[in-house]
Amino acid sequence: MGDVEKGKKIFVQKCVQCHTVENTGKHKTGPNLHTLFGRKTSKVSGLLCTDANENKGITWGEDTLMEYLENPPKYIHGTKIIFAGIKKGERVSLIAYLKKITNE
Amino acid sequence: MTSWQPGRILFLLALLLTSAHGISSNLEECLVLQSPEGSTVSCHRVTKFPSPLPADTVHLSVEFSNLTELPARALERCQRLRELHLSSNRLQELSSGLLTPVSGLRVLDLTHNELRGLPLGLFRASAALHTLVLRANQLQNVSALWLWGLRSLEHLDLAENELRVLPDGLVLSLISLSTLDLGYNLLETLPTSLLMGPRRLQRLHLEGNRLRRLGFGMLALQPFLRVLFLNDNRLTEVVPSAFQSLRELDMLDLSNNSLSSTPPGLWASLGRPARDMQDGFDLSHNPWVCNEDLQDLYRWLRANKHKMFSKNDTRCEGPEALRGRRLLDVAELESL
């Protein structure tokens, strides 16, 4: 349902500073998102990951991302992500893009 | 790698439950986690700034708490602080000495507060700060003097404020600046000196303002710019030399403006044949008049269509015969 192309633009606009999505992408301030879907919030080797994300024990999928990306500091207390949140329509597109790109 | 101590967490949770009706905020209402680097303190919906803070606090988050002010010596005890997250409070002003004890601070997030300004000298000890977020406050003006001392700053976010006019040399002292976000303000014009200072600015966000014209001088100061968001403004005119210096541009968003035409030569240094734009460009939602004045743009579109966002929303407004046609289709027909 989301517009994958629009999602890509949103990713460049708001996410790319801290995240990569490619298979070989490195971790930046935030983790590489290539294996995002289905991944449990968990330790990622080599990073001081957000303790808060880790302890919440959720699995990333469309529903959890919809909630998280609306307002990250609210969803997972103490998360290190600096982010004012994304509006609903844009979230749908962003998640569609993330789903597509992380499957390639 | 982080580690956490189950015993301590359970103890704190037990305290939280039993002190659910606590009147004054103290550290026991916050989540405290240990790691080899130090303590992470996370407080939500507290009524007062937490105290006392562990001396080894490296990450402090006091958010969604309606705090209107901070004690002047709030951070005195945690001199190893690396990150301070204060988003979604109601802070109206900060004391000048607030950050003096935390000279190792890397990140300061003040998103969603009610700041109208910053005190001089706030960042006098902040040579290590690399990220400063002042998004969604009530800044009506901003002074380069507030930012004095931020020689390591890479990311400055001033978006969603009420800035109408910017002073000359706003980021003059920010030599390490990589990203400047001025989106969603009330900017009608930009001083030519806006981008003077940073050695290598990479990203510039100007979306959601009231810009009507894009001249030459400003962007010429940052030839290594990679990302430029100009969407959702009121642009009617872009001068032919506006993008002349930008030979590394990977993303250009001009969508949602009032462009009916672009002058020949505008696109010469962008995309193919020079080099592919890695991410792409967006010209959608503009009132394009698809006549012979657009020949140069048509030629460029044919060479770069693989990087074009929103093809279906990039349409001719005129002339009447071509109204509603996709710009790309008209461009491809022109080559026949």
Side-chain angles (χ1 to χ4, degrees):
Chain A
M1 217 199 100
D3 184 338
V4 169
E5 192 195 65
K6 196 163 139 197
K8 179 182 178 183
K9 218 175 42 143
I10 295 163
F11 190 82
V12 173
Q13 197 175 23
K14 304 196 179 183
C15 319
V16 83
Q17 295 215 82
C18 297
H19 292 285
T20 54
V21 275
E22 315 83 42
N23 199 2
T24 53
K26 56 179 197 223
H27 297 305
K28 292 160 120 175
T29 313
N32 167 264
L33 299 178
H34 187 72
T35 53
L36 179 66
F37 279 73
R39 189 164 81 193
K40 277 191 166 19
T41 56
S42 65
K43 293 185 205 295
V44 175
S45 64
L47 277 186
L48 172 61
C49 59
T50 57
D51 308 302
N53 281 3
E54 179 185 317
N55 295 328
K56 181 105 177 171
I58 60 174
T59 302
W60 293 119
E62 282 174 67
D63 294 336
T64 43
L65 281 171
M66 271 302 281
E67 235 186 292
Y68 182 69
L69 293 173
E70 181 183 6
N71 210 329
K74 210 178 203 170
Y75 188 64
I76 298 176
H77 293 188
T79 184
K80 285 192 176 71
I81 194 170
I82 289 177
F83 197 52
I86 311 186
K87 293 194 255 297
K88 191 168 190 184
E90 290 194 333
R91 260 181 287 151
V92 172
S93 297
L94 177 61
I95 290 166
Y97 168 71
L98 286 173
K99 194 169 183 188
K100 175 169 187 291
I101 201 82
T102 56
N103 269 333
E104 286 171 1
Chain B
M1 283 294 212
T2 66
S3 63
W4 55 285
Q5 298 163 293
R8 189 188 175 98
I9 301 305
L10 285 172
F11 174 66
L12 285 167
L13 279 173
L15 266 179
L16 188 67
L17 290 169
T18 57
S19 66
H21 300 293
I23 295 161
S24 71
S25 159
N26 55 36
L27 192 59
E28 283 147 7
E29 284 181 19
C30 304
L31 192 62
V32 181
L33 299 168
Q34 298 296 331
S35 76
E37 283 76 15
S39 296
T40 293
V41 177
S42 176
C43 313
H44 267 229
R45 303 191 203 289
V46 293
T47 49
K48 279 204 309 207
F49 193 80
S51 146
L53 290 166
D56 70 343
T57 305
V58 289
H59 183 264
L60 174 60
S61 175
V62 186
E63 301 176 285
F64 297 96
S65 291
N66 279 337
L67 296 179
T68 53
E69 58 186 9
L70 302 171
R73 291 148 72 152
L75 304 174
E76 215 170 48
R77 268 184 58 92
C78 40
Q79 302 192 357
R80 289 167 50 184
L81 197 66
R82 289 280 179 271
E83 295 202 19
L84 179 57
H85 294 250
L86 293 168
S87 78
S88 301
N89 283 289
R90 304 191 58 192
L91 299 173
Q92 293 176 358
E93 57 180 19
L94 303 174
S95 66
S96 168
L98 176 71
L99 303 177
T100 315
V102 292
S103 60
L105 194 69
R106 304 275 194 268
V107 173
L108 176 59
D109 180 9
L110 287 157
T111 304
H112 241 295
N113 276 281
E114 296 174 8
L115 296 172
R116 296 193 167 236
L118 296 178
L120 293 181
L122 177 63
F123 298 117
R124 67 171 90 87
S126 303
L129 197 71
H130 67 61
T131 298
L132 173 60
V133 184
L134 290 158
R135 176 178 280 258
N137 277 274
Q138 292 171 8
L139 300 175
Q140 293 181 353
N141 54 64
V142 58
S143 167
L145 296 174
W146 297 348
L147 306 175
W148 198 256
L150 295 172
R151 73 175 103 100
S152 301
L153 197 71
E154 294 174 16
H155 185 131
L156 176 60
D157 188 340
L158 289 162
E160 296 184 56
N161 279 284
E162 298 161 28
L163 301 173
R164 280 177 206 279
V165 153
L166 299 173
D168 281 320
L170 174 64
V171 297
L172 201 56
S173 65
L174 306 182
I175 51 176
S176 306
L177 199 68
S178 177
T179 296
L180 176 59
D181 193 340
L182 290 160
Y184 299 99
N185 277 284
L186 305 170
L187 299 170
E188 294 178 32
T189 58
L190 301 169
T192 313
S193 64
L194 178 64
L195 305 182
M196 197 181 292
R199 288 203 203 98
R200 209 174 175 106
L201 194 71
Q202 303 270 279
R203 299 174 57 104
L204 178 59
H205 289 256
L206 290 165
E207 66 267 36
N209 280 287
R210 299 176 176 179
L211 302 174
R212 287 175 302 236
R213 184 181 175 277
L214 194 65
F216 165 69
M218 188 189 76
L219 294 173
L221 291 169
Q222 293 294 343
F224 299 108
L225 203 65
R226 312 208 42 241
V227 170
L228 178 57
F229 281 94
L230 286 162
N231 50 295
D232 295 275
N233 276 281
R234 300 177 185 177
L235 290 173
T236 54
E237 184 191 350
V238 182
V239 307
S241 54
F243 303 138
Q244 190 174 290
S245 329
L246 304 180
R247 290 167 196 285
E248 304 281 315
L249 201 66
D250 285 328
M251 173 83 219
L252 174 62
D253 195 342
L254 284 165
S255 63
N256 282 290
N257 275 287
S258 299
L259 295 168
S260 55
S261 190
T262 59
L266 180 67
W267 307 98
S269 65
L270 302 181
R272 290 189 188 173
R275 80 184 256 290
D276 254 344
M277 296 175 80
Q278 292 304 308
D279 298 306
F281 62 95
D282 196 335
L283 302 176
S284 64
H285 298 287
N286 277 285
W288 299 107
V289 172
C290 299
N291 58 22
E292 58 277 359
D293 291 339
L294 250 42
Q295 287 296 339
D296 196 53
L297 175 56
Y298 293 155
R299 195 168 24 246
W300 191 80
L301 284 178
R302 290 193 294 269
N304 290 279
K305 63 186 178 193
H306 57 299
K307 290 292 181 181
M308 184 178 187
F309 282 105
S310 313
K311 296 182 181 70
N312 289 345
D313 290 323
T314 312
R315 293 186 183 262
C316 304
E317 177 107 333
E320 195 57 44
L322 293 176
R323 192 181 168 86
R325 297 284 298 276
R326 291 196 333 161
L327 195 63
L328 185 59
D329 293 337
V330 176
E332 304 211 277
L333 280 172
E334 285 291 322
S335 71
L336 298 175

